[in-house]
Amino acid sequence: MASRAKQFNGLSYRALQQLNGQQRRLLAKADQQWLKANGYMNLGWSNVIQLQQKISEFQGKTPPDDPTLEELFLQADRVGNKYLSDAEIAEFNQTLAQEVSEVSELIDQQFPDTEVEIIDFSQPRKPQKKRSRGR
């Protein structure tokens, strides 16, 4: 009689690990940190099942807050990069860097730094003596 591989909710060990990893990344940072602090791991059959159950609990509670604009842009960037070639990504990054540099130059022109700062390195700095505590 051949032994059958263990399954949990129709998922093999490896498939459950992958699902846990994907779902964990979607949780709020505070929930992710709580899982780590409380020893929930994605290694070992019983640990993987416990992690899946706890992630399901977190997903069942109140819906996450609306993502920030920054999070939305980062997510859109990750999704968009899947459909671009390496050359297109490099070209976009180069164009972006050039535009950022031009904006920086315009800001420097509009708000010049007129204050002169002088640092004198000619005099060696005196080492501070250790203060002894009265014993």
Side-chain angles (χ1 to χ4, degrees):
M1 182 173 191
S3 66
R4 290 182 31 169
K6 290 183 183 180
Q7 289 197 343
F8 179 77
N9 290 343
L11 297 172
S12 68
Y13 174 75
R14 184 70 185 126
L16 190 57
Q17 278 186 313
Q18 289 174 338
L19 179 65
N20 283 349
Q22 291 168 352
Q23 290 180 338
R24 186 178 186 149
R25 282 188 287 278
L26 297 175
L27 292 176
K29 290 290 181 194
D31 292 340
Q32 291 177 23
Q33 291 170 349
W34 187 92
L35 288 170
K36 185 175 182 177
N38 288 286
Y40 284 89
M41 298 181 294
N42 205 16
L43 187 62
W45 189 242
S46 61
N47 291 336
V48 171
I49 292 171
Q50 289 174 352
L51 178 60
Q52 173 59 38
Q53 292 169 338
K54 191 49 101 171
I55 288 173
S56 295
E57 283 180 35
F58 281 131
Q59 290 174 333
K61 68 180 190 177
T62 58
D65 297 331
D66 288 338
T68 65
L69 187 58
E70 180 183 11
E71 291 169 341
L72 288 173
F73 276 116
L74 290 173
Q75 185 176 6
D77 189 44
R78 280 193 300 271
V79 170
N81 283 344
K82 290 181 182 178
Y83 301 101
L84 296 176
S85 69
D86 291 339
E88 290 171 322
I89 293 171
E91 180 183 342
F92 172 78
N93 288 337
Q94 183 179 3
T95 304
L96 179 63
Q98 183 179 355
E99 290 176 8
V100 167
S101 175
E102 291 171 2
V103 169
S104 176
E105 289 175 14
L106 286 173
I107 290 172
D108 287 344
Q109 289 173 2
Q110 301 223 352
F111 303 100
D113 190 12
T114 57
E115 190 175 309
V116 177
E117 183 175 340
I118 300 174
I119 301 174
D120 185 9
F121 288 106
S122 63
Q123 299 295 323
R125 196 172 136 210
K126 296 180 182 178
Q128 293 181 351
K129 296 181 180 178
K130 293 184 180 178
R131 297 180 184 163
S132 61
R133 296 181 186 176
R135 291 188 178 186

